[in-house]
Every structure is written in C-alpha cells, then in structure tokens.
Amino acid sequence: MRYNPLGRTGLFVSELCLGTMTFGSAGRFAAIAGLGQDEADALMKGAIDAGVNFIDTANVYSAGQSEEITGQAIRNLGLRREDVVLATKAFGTMGDGPLDSGATRGHLMDQVKASLKRLNTDHIDLYQIHGWDAATPIEETVRALDDLVRQGHVRYVGVSNWAAWQIAKALGIAERSNATRFQSVQSYYTLVGRDLERELVPMMQSEGLGLMVWSPLAGGYLSGKYRGGEGKGRREAFTFPPVDETRGNAVLDAMDPIAKAHDVSVAQIALAWLLHQPVVTSVIIGAKRPDQLDDNLAAVAIDLSEAELRALDEVSRLAPEYPGWMFGMQGAYRGKWIAQSRHKG
C-alpha cells in the first residue's frame, strides 16, 4: 500500500480508501447497502490490515447509520483515532424541511455536530460538501467551513461533484478572504467515465487538489458481470452511474486479455488503471463481502505496462471536444519551445 499527500497538505492517505455506503440498511441508498455492525467490522479490519488508513462516509448514507456503524467499528477494532483519516460529507437531505439540506452555514453547523455524535469522535479529518448548492452563495459555504476548521471540529475540507469553474471560484474566494481552501475533490472516474479529464483534471493539477475517486467500478459494471445486459446484482436495482454499454463492452473486451496476462480479475485491472493515473490520490473501494474487498485490495500490486496502459487509453479515451482540440492544435506552436527548454535543462 502506498500513501499520497492529500492536496497541498502533509496529510498522507492510503491509495485505497474504504467507502462505507454499504453500511446500514435505511434511506435512499438502501438498495446498495445492507451491512450490519459485525459485517462492517470484518470489512474494516480487512482494509486496515492491508494498510488502508482512509475511511470515507457521509451523513446521507443509510440515513446516518453508516456514520454510526463506522464510528462503532473503529472502537470495536480498538483502532487509535489518530491512525485513521476519517472523512464524511454533508449537503444531502436529512429531513423534510427546507433547512434540512444544502451547503448553508446553518445546515453545515448543524450537520457537523450530528456527524461528530454519530461517529463518536471529537473531530473529522476531511469534511466534504457532497454536492453543488445553487441556492447558497459560495462565500457563505467557504466561510462556514473555515469556521468549522478554526473551531477544531474539522481539520481539512473538500468538495464532491462540483464543476471545475465552481471549485476554482471557491478557491479564489478562500484565498481572497484568507479562509481554509479545499484540498480534495471526490469525483466519479473510470475507464467508462472519463468526463472529468476535460476540465476537472487540468484544474486539479493546476491548483494542487487531491482526487478521491468514487464508484471506480462504475457501480459494478467494470466487474464484467453485466456485459451484454446480463448478470444480476446492484445495477439491476440501481443503474448508477450511467454507462454507455456499447462503448463499455469494447472497454471490457480490451481489459480481458490484460486481466488474463496478469492472472487477476477484470475489476482489479479497472482499479489498477486508476492507480496509474498521476492525478489520483486515493480510490474509494466498497464491498459487501470479504472476498470482494480482498479482490479490490489486491489491485495495488498490479503493475501495468506502457503497452497495456496505451491499449486501455485508446479504447476508452474521450472524443475530441472544443476547445480541447483547439488547445492541442495551437499548443504545438509553443510546445516545441517547451520541449527544447526541458531538453537543455
């Protein structure tokens, strides 16, 4: 297991992060959850024993049960709190009223206290805004998060499912007001979902943000068991994230010989590809059974060759889109001088 710094911080997190969406049995995510305390304890022990030090949850997972089970698992396993990087999120609906969701000062202040209680801890290492709130000024959200850090409830802050321009604006507001900046972005990224490479990846690389990848197997699609519309499981009840299966089947066909060459599962190749991407800080893995967890954990040992990475890139890369293709064409004018300068160095 390797450890990477989270954004522009000295906090090192494991390249695999244990996701806890499967913990609990209530709420809108019940279809992909269902694990009780004993099962969660076993999964967390397997992850910790493999070197994982990063745990990700959210207040909306199983209507708060995931946070409760996560916190209890840390205690049941006798883990030192300072050895675990604990991340959670807020934004989603936690009630029926107009004040029960969003990235407002009031909602965040209320929800961080509720999360701390459910997790049974005095601080959250990484507190993330779970989605974009069109009703709340970014200034309000940034200032509220800064206050939570100054109060000691939160140590670092991040964001999930925002567009590049929204994150860049928040970073500018934080710098201008001397407030705590985002250090991480939690986004969907897979061989069948590379959309973030258009705007988010260049922004993250420019601004020094870490990337946490959610649903790295595209909701199980990249396990290969749903190929051709066959197979039963999570995607049968919860078809998320969306996948272009015509394109996806071609990706799976390209992954098959690579998986056979390494004598590993197709899912491990999907994870290994992500771990080879320089922008990725940590890949969030979730499981319902120990064997699924073990399969995912084994991906850290796979070393893909340049030829294998090239083959996967060619079958999955995004189609050219403006202004990206213009950047490539016009970049050639200056690229030769950049290359010459590096050569001299």
Side-chain angles (χ1 to χ4, degrees), residues 152-184:
H153 299 311
V154 170
R155 295 189 173 174
Y156 301 98
V157 297
V159 66
S160 180
N161 303 319
W162 280 27
W165 73 264
Q166 295 163 344
I167 299 170
K169 183 174 181 179
L171 292 174
I173 290 169
E175 182 175 2
R176 186 174 69 241
S177 56
N178 196 31
T180 302
R181 77 191 298 269
F182 293 146
Q183 296 294 349
S184 64

Side-chain angles (χ1 to χ4, degrees), residues 157-237:
V157 297
V159 66
S160 180
N161 303 319
W162 280 27
W165 73 264
Q166 295 163 344
I167 299 170
K169 183 174 181 179
L171 292 174
I173 290 169
E175 182 175 2
R176 186 174 69 241
S177 56
N178 196 31
T180 302
R181 77 191 298 269
F182 293 146
Q183 296 294 349
S184 64
V185 179
Q186 188 173 146
S187 291
Y188 171 60
Y189 189 27
T190 70
L191 275 164
V192 291
R194 296 175 60 177
D195 306 69
L196 83 170
E197 292 178 358
R198 297 196 191 280
E199 298 284 346
L200 281 162
V201 167
M203 182 277 298
M204 284 186 277
Q205 292 174 324
S206 169
E207 303 305 317
L209 294 169
L211 172 61
M212 299 167 63
V213 177
W214 61 261
S215 198
L217 299 181
Y221 181 84
L222 287 173
S223 68
K225 65 182 180 180
Y226 299 100
R227 194 187 319 236
E230 299 178 355
K232 296 183 183 297
R234 166 180 167 177
R235 290 190 67 85
E236 194 176 35

Side-chain angles (χ1 to χ4, degrees), residues 14-291:
S14 51
E15 61 184 331
L16 293 181
C17 172
L18 180 64
T20 65
M21 188 182 278
T22 57
F23 295 4
S25 58
R28 61 177 297 199
F29 299 107
I32 57 176
L35 298 188
Q37 190 66 57
D38 290 345
E39 297 162 307
D41 289 357
L43 286 180
M44 190 175 292
K45 184 179 188 306
I48 295 294
D49 287 348
V52 171
N53 73 345
F54 200 11
I55 312 294
D56 181 72
T57 185
N59 61 355
V60 294
Y61 294 166
S62 294
Q65 289 179 355
S66 175
E67 288 184 324
E68 292 175 350
I69 292 172
T70 297
Q72 187 62 48
I74 292 172
R75 296 192 297 280
N76 289 350
L77 297 176
L79 302 177
R80 294 199 317 158
R81 177 64 185 87
E82 55 265 42
D83 291 336
V84 178
V85 180
L86 189 55
T88 191
K89 301 180 283 291
F91 165 77
T93 299
M94 296 299 289
D96 298 327
L99 306 182
D100 292 324
S101 64
T104 65
R105 170 177 290 275
H107 186 67
L108 294 178
M109 293 290 180
D110 290 341
Q111 288 305 310
V112 77
K113 293 176 183 177
S115 288
L116 287 168
K117 182 177 180 179
R118 286 190 290 263
L119 291 164
N120 193 23
T121 185
D122 63 355
H123 72 278
I124 293 163
D125 295 291
L126 177 63
Y127 200 50
Q128 304 155 96
I129 304 301
H130 209 165
W132 169 249
D133 184 355
T136 302
I138 298 178
E139 289 85 351
E140 178 177 343
T141 301
V142 168
R143 180 55 70 189
L145 291 172
D146 182 65
D147 287 344
L148 292 178
V149 171
R150 293 176 187 273
Q151 292 166 4
H153 299 311
V154 170
R155 295 189 173 174
Y156 301 98
V157 297
V159 66
S160 180
N161 303 319
W162 280 27
W165 73 264
Q166 295 163 344
I167 299 170
K169 183 174 181 179
L171 292 174
I173 290 169
E175 182 175 2
R176 186 174 69 241
S177 56
N178 196 31
T180 302
R181 77 191 298 269
F182 293 146
Q183 296 294 349
S184 64
V185 179
Q186 188 173 146
S187 291
Y188 171 60
Y189 189 27
T190 70
L191 275 164
V192 291
R194 296 175 60 177
D195 306 69
L196 83 170
E197 292 178 358
R198 297 196 191 280
E199 298 284 346
L200 281 162
V201 167
M203 182 277 298
M204 284 186 277
Q205 292 174 324
S206 169
E207 303 305 317
L209 294 169
L211 172 61
M212 299 167 63
V213 177
W214 61 261
S215 198
L217 299 181
Y221 181 84
L222 287 173
S223 68
K225 65 182 180 180
Y226 299 100
R227 194 187 319 236
E230 299 178 355
K232 296 183 183 297
R234 166 180 167 177
R235 290 190 67 85
E236 194 176 35
F238 193 56
T239 310
F240 181 83
V243 173
D244 178 344
E245 296 197 11
T246 299
R247 183 180 176 88
N249 286 338
V251 171
L252 288 170
D253 288 344
M255 294 169 68
D256 282 336
I258 298 174
K260 290 177 182 176
H262 288 267
D263 193 25
V264 300
S265 68
V266 171
Q268 287 178 30
I269 296 300
L271 295 171
W273 179 83
L274 283 169
L275 293 172
H276 279 71
Q277 304 310 304
V279 72
V280 172
T281 302
S282 189
V283 176
I284 302 171
I285 56 174
K288 281 193 171 182
R289 304 190 312 267
D291 61 295

